[in-house]
Amino acid sequence: MATSCPGCEQGVMRVNHFHGEEVDSCKNCGGMWFENGELNGALSKADNGDDAVRVEETLGQHLGISQRCCQHCDFNMQRYHLMDGYQIEVDVCHQCSGIWIDEHERSKVVNSPLVKNLLGELDAKISVKTWVFQFLSQMPIEFNIKPKSRPIVTYLLLTVNILIFAFYGFDINTTNTVFDNFAMRSSDLLAGHHPWSLVSHMFLHGDLMHLAGNMYFLYVVGDNLEDALGRAKFLGLYLLCGFAAAAAQIVADPASSVYMVGASGAIAGLFGMYLMWFRHASLTFMFVIYQKKLSPLAFFAIWLGFNIFGLMMAGEGVAYWAHIGGFIAGLVIGILLKPKVMASNPLLAMLNEPEVKVAR
């Protein structure tokens, strides 16, 4: 016998096939009613990485009494998050163990086992090994989904930067010659000299610490961005951010004759894109001996604050405007390309859903 819809209370429930299970759905609002065990059966047959789903064992926070009544028991159901860390709201009847899911939640519920596995990686405890590394280096560690392919371009950029520095970086005379011909100076460029320095300056570094810091951050964010973009596009956008960084520094100080070298501006652009697409990542920050997971937003806010402070203090020898210019360019690129990147990376799109909450 046809029954009324628990969701809209107007539509009539009809039998529908859903991932191998016969379930009741409302033609009016599209919501679905799952009898005891039907949702487990449907999710176990769906292509989501789990063939033994037990929804009732992984329900998240209890949100209180629902205004909706079970279509069979005529009792008010109970509201729950589908699971911890994935705040999809479902209605559960404690009498018959039926579950109601609204139409807009359907695909998210189907993919919930995938999200659960990914959150397991992101919410992993910080190991002693990681703590020791951070204590000694005071550098951040990234917790994120592993890239699907080997980041060849990222490794190539790391190799080229290191080999170039090895060629000149340990001899002062060679360093001076290389900087005279390949480092960027605003005054020279505006006078039409050394136009190639717009590119070459990105592959030069002042000393070992400068090189090590830049290469480390390129390694941290580069693999995921290359995986999301593809190799050719990643390289193109890396160079584009470097050009934007150089342009910002030239506009800020067009008469400068100080050498500008380093991949910092291009990498700052990667930071901007990373912030737009990987908000679910965690970057552990070491406060002397206290280790804390931070969101990319919090981490890059600290980084940006240091750069703005440097500008206010008029620090010499650091191209702060290049850092800020590259970062802004990366943010703009991240915003413009986000729909396309999410469409081509389903797992990344799932983790960017507002219902996903990473433990930090």
Side-chain angles (χ1 to χ4, degrees):
M1 185 178 74
T3 56
S4 60
C5 171
C8 63
E9 298 181 352
Q10 297 174 359
V12 174
M13 305 296 288
R14 303 293 186 188
V15 174
N16 189 25
H17 291 276
F18 185 73
H19 292 285
E21 296 286 335
E22 287 190 354
V23 302
D24 294 330
S25 67
C26 175
K27 284 191 174 182
N28 184 50
C29 70
M32 280 190 167
W33 173 258
F34 295 86
E35 304 282 0
N36 183 20
E38 286 181 345
L39 183 57
N40 288 337
L43 297 188
S44 297
K45 294 169 188 172
D47 183 17
N48 55 24
D50 190 346
D51 57 3
V53 178
R54 302 287 295 175
V55 172
E56 64 278 4
E57 295 178 3
T58 58
L59 286 174
Q61 181 182 356
H62 180 229
L63 304 174
I65 300 174
S66 174
Q67 296 300 310
R68 295 166 174 172
C69 290
C70 172
Q71 65 172 358
H72 295 305
C73 305
D74 202 27
F75 285 105
N76 284 88
M77 293 185 281
Q78 302 291 321
R79 298 163 49 235
Y80 287 89
H81 284 154
L82 181 63
M83 62 185 187
D84 290 330
Y86 200 27
Q87 297 180 355
I88 304 296
E89 186 175 319
V90 296
D91 298 284
V92 179
C93 176
H94 285 180
Q95 273 69 36
C96 68
S97 299
I99 298 178
W100 173 261
I101 295 174
D102 290 323
E103 182 181 27
H104 69 277
E105 299 167 340
R106 193 184 306 171
S107 63
K108 296 181 179 183
V109 171
V110 171
N111 289 320
S112 61
L114 285 171
V115 175
K116 179 184 176 182
N117 291 336
L118 294 172
L119 284 175
E121 295 180 25
L122 297 174
D123 294 340
K125 299 292 185 181
I126 300 172
S127 68
V128 173
K129 182 180 177 181
T130 300
W131 187 93
V132 171
F133 172 82
Q134 282 205 282
F135 175 73
L136 295 174
S137 68
Q138 296 294 302
M139 300 294 278
I141 299 291
E142 177 202 34
F143 285 76
N144 206 347
I145 56 174
K146 301 297 186 290
K148 301 183 293 294
S149 58
R150 190 179 297 275
I152 299 298
V153 173
T154 299
Y155 292 160
L156 181 62
L157 288 171
L158 292 169
T159 302
V160 169
N161 276 277
I162 292 169
L163 289 178
I164 288 175
F165 183 83
F167 168 74
Y168 73 83
F170 300 99
D171 181 82
I172 188 62
N173 292 323
T174 306
T175 297
N176 289 335
T177 300
V178 170
F179 278 25
D180 284 339
N181 289 279
F182 298 102
M184 193 192 87
R185 289 191 287 194
S186 299
S187 57
D188 283 354
L189 272 174
L190 293 178
H193 304 310
H194 300 163
W196 55 82
S197 66
L198 273 172
V199 176
S200 60
H201 82 277
M202 299 183 216
F203 297 90
L204 305 177
H205 291 84
D207 53 39
L208 271 174
M209 290 302 296
H210 187 204
L211 174 71
N214 276 347
M215 294 304 97
Y216 183 79
F217 281 108
L218 174 58
Y219 174 77
V220 167
V221 302
D223 57 348
N224 290 114
L225 290 172
E226 182 178 341
D227 193 52
L229 287 165
R231 291 165 182 165
K233 188 175 290 185
F234 171 72
L235 179 59
L237 293 177
Y238 174 86
L239 295 173
L240 179 61
C241 289
F243 296 148
Q249 191 65 30
I250 292 169
V251 170
D253 195 1
S256 174
S257 59
V258 177
Y259 291 129
M260 175 176 158
V261 296
S264 305
I267 294 169
L270 299 185
F271 286 172
M273 286 183 271
Y274 190 91
L275 181 58
M276 290 294 99
W277 305 337
F278 291 88
R279 69 172 188 84
H280 53 276
S282 292
L283 292 148
T284 56
F285 194 82
M286 181 67 80
F287 299 90
V288 187
I289 62 171
Y290 175 68
Q291 191 179 44
K292 172 63 178 174
K293 280 185 179 181
L294 299 177
S295 69
L297 179 61
F299 182 84
F300 293 134
I302 294 172
W303 173 85
L304 188 61
F306 277 122
N307 279 274
I308 293 174
F309 180 76
L311 276 174
M312 293 173 62
M313 300 301 292
E316 293 292 331
V318 180
Y320 291 108
W321 276 115
H323 296 175
I324 294 173
F327 184 66
I328 292 173
L331 286 176
V332 172
I333 292 169
I335 293 169
L336 293 177
L337 293 186
K338 185 172 183 178
K340 187 173 182 180
V341 169
M342 294 301 117
S344 59
N345 294 273
L347 289 181
L348 189 58
M350 275 190 278
L351 287 174
N352 272 274
E353 292 172 355
E355 295 90 354
V356 173
K357 306 297 178 183
V358 177
R360 296 190 176 98

